[in-house]
């Protein structure tokens, strides 16, 4: 079973930067995608950035050019560097991973969430 442990987040002024980190623990057959979602109050959870096992990255249009996702396959970790933050980036950010368990069953895992608040 995979557990995702997040760190980072906090309060920052608009235009500032934050870095989120996430490390996966547990034993699996493989991990395919790792990434970040966010959920603002009263809104649905949305994809922020994703990194595939092949190294492809994708971003929500709203964060392109400002956020950068990076992945360490040896450490099984993923990070999100957030620059030029805006008040509308305020949300709880969740680390995400999916892949195959030791029994070759599909799984997806979520972190506990970390609050990011951007003040204007």
């Amino acid at each position: 079973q995979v557990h995702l442990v997040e760190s980072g987040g906090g309060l920052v002024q608009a235009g500032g930067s934050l870095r989120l980190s996430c490390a996966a623990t547990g034993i699996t057959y493989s991990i395919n995608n790792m990434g970040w979602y966010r959920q603002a109050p009263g809104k649905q959870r949305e994809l922020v950035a994703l990194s595939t096992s092949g190294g492809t990255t994708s971003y929500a249009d709203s964060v392109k050019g400002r956020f950068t996702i990076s992945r360490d396959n040896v450490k099984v970790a993923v990070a999100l560097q957030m620059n030029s933050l805006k008040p509308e980036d305020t949300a709880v950010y969740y680390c995400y991973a999916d892949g195959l368990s030791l029994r070759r069953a599909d799984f997806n895992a979520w972190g506990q969430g970390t609050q990011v608040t951007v003040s204007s």
Side-chain angles (χ1 to χ4, degrees):
Q1 188 172 3
V2 173
H3 294 280
L4 302 176
V5 180
E6 301 158 353
S7 60
L11 174 64
V12 66
Q13 288 188 333
S17 298
L18 283 173
R19 182 178 179 84
L20 305 181
S21 298
C22 173
T25 62
I27 300 174
T28 66
Y29 179 74
S30 66
I31 291 184
N32 296 328
N33 301 308
M34 295 190 76
W36 295 90
Y37 284 72
R38 68 185 180 187
Q39 187 166 19
K43 295 187 177 182
Q44 289 188 331
R45 191 173 296 189
E46 63 174 357
L47 176 66
V48 177
L50 198 69
S51 174
T52 71
S53 58
T56 302
T57 58
S58 58
Y59 298 89
D61 288 342
S62 60
V63 307
K64 284 181 181 177
R66 300 187 298 121
F67 290 11
T68 303
I69 188 170
S70 59
R71 176 172 174 173
D72 187 330
N73 288 324
V74 174
K75 296 180 179 179
V76 195
V78 66
L80 186 68
Q81 178 65 41
M82 305 183 292
N83 298 328
S84 302
L85 282 161
K86 303 176 181 180
E88 51 264 42
D89 294 318
T90 295
V92 177
Y93 284 69
Y94 297 90
C95 182
Y96 169 84
D98 62 44
L100 293 176
S101 69
L102 290 177
R103 296 183 178 182
R104 307 300 192 267
D106 292 329
F107 77 87
N108 57 69
W110 295 90
Q112 78 280 7
T114 185
Q115 177 70 46
V116 171
T117 302
V118 184
S119 62
S120 57

